[in-house]
Amino acid sequence: VMMGGQKDVSHNMLRFLVDIPGSLREEKLLKEKACEVLDSIGMYHLRNETVDNLAYGRQKVTELGRALMTSPQLILLDEPASGLDPVVTRSLYDVVERINKKTGITVIMVSHDIPAAMEYASKILHLGSDRQLYFGSMDNYRHSAAYHSFLGGSAVHIWKHDGKLRSPQKKEQAG
């Protein structure tokens, strides 16, 4: 996590040799900030572990912590729960939500996980292959044509390679 804050530290050999007390002070501030970030993402108890010793889900949360070390105003997450099981996914989304509410950092998340987006997002941007299909509140999204065409109400649809939308209940006819 501390690596995320390195941009704020004036680390170079000449500076270190000339101003050892200043460099040590910056290092101390960096460690304090890293501990605050680890606490905010629920990983303070793992502060002495290396990332490669953490489970994959914890590594994903560590990536978020690294981003937080830069004091961002915006965080862009591209499929952050990719490869995670449902329990770890929920935990990751909870951490992101907590960070957003506690710090006010804007979070833009690219996701195909519509149920999670519906639970956590305040705004939804639904993009088609060549245009915007919807932008607005999550509540209004439930009633939008984009939502119903994508999810088909409660039905699950499958896109076949020919681009035709088919419902799994209907059998394909040979032809």
Side-chain angles (χ1 to χ4, degrees), residues 74-147:
L74 174 118
I75 294 177
L76 175 61
L77 303 172
D78 186 8
E79 298 286 354
S82 176
L84 300 179
D85 67 62
V87 173
V88 177
T89 295
R90 179 126 181 117
S91 176
L92 175 66
Y93 288 151
D94 288 344
V95 169
V96 171
E97 180 182 44
R98 188 171 59 245
I99 294 301
N100 171 255
K101 289 184 176 182
K102 181 180 175 184
T103 65
I105 295 170
T106 299
V107 177
I108 297 175
M109 183 168 61
V110 176
S111 180
H112 290 89
D113 186 350
I114 300 298
M118 299 294 290
E119 182 175 345
Y120 292 98
S122 58
K123 299 270 192 239
I124 300 283
L125 172 61
H126 186 135
L127 299 173
S129 60
D130 62 347
R131 63 186 163 83
Q132 174 182 313
L133 300 176
Y134 175 86
F135 178 74
S137 74
M138 180 269 310
D139 290 330
N140 289 337
Y141 180 64
R142 283 191 174 102
H143 306 291
S144 73
Y147 174 79

Side-chain angles (χ1 to χ4, degrees), residues 2-164:
M2 283 181 57
M3 289 175 63
Q6 293 296 324
K7 75 164 190 64
D8 294 331
V9 181
S10 305
H11 280 302
N12 66 51
M13 196 56 134
L14 182 59
R15 166 84 195 275
F16 184 77
L17 292 173
V18 173
D19 186 18
I20 291 174
S23 295
L24 295 176
R25 195 169 33 257
E26 285 183 8
E27 183 78 12
K28 181 180 178 198
L29 291 173
L30 183 62
K31 284 181 183 180
E32 288 172 2
K33 183 173 182 178
C35 286
E36 288 173 17
V37 166
L38 285 169
D39 188 49
S40 72
I41 62 175
M43 291 182 56
Y44 182 79
H45 65 289
L46 298 171
R47 67 190 174 280
N48 294 320
E49 291 292 328
T50 58
V51 175
D52 59 332
N53 286 334
L54 300 176
Y56 184 63
R58 292 286 187 183
Q59 290 178 11
K60 291 266 195 174
V61 176
T62 301
E63 292 171 13
L64 178 61
R66 253 188 249 135
L68 292 171
M69 287 293 292
T70 66
S71 303
Q73 294 180 353
L74 174 118
I75 294 177
L76 175 61
L77 303 172
D78 186 8
E79 298 286 354
S82 176
L84 300 179
D85 67 62
V87 173
V88 177
T89 295
R90 179 126 181 117
S91 176
L92 175 66
Y93 288 151
D94 288 344
V95 169
V96 171
E97 180 182 44
R98 188 171 59 245
I99 294 301
N100 171 255
K101 289 184 176 182
K102 181 180 175 184
T103 65
I105 295 170
T106 299
V107 177
I108 297 175
M109 183 168 61
V110 176
S111 180
H112 290 89
D113 186 350
I114 300 298
M118 299 294 290
E119 182 175 345
Y120 292 98
S122 58
K123 299 270 192 239
I124 300 283
L125 172 61
H126 186 135
L127 299 173
S129 60
D130 62 347
R131 63 186 163 83
Q132 174 182 313
L133 300 176
Y134 175 86
F135 178 74
S137 74
M138 180 269 310
D139 290 330
N140 289 337
Y141 180 64
R142 283 191 174 102
H143 306 291
S144 73
Y147 174 79
H148 289 285
S149 69
F150 186 70
L151 295 180
S154 61
V156 175
H157 291 96
I158 298 171
W159 283 96
K160 294 292 184 180
H161 71 279
D162 61 5
K164 295 181 182 172

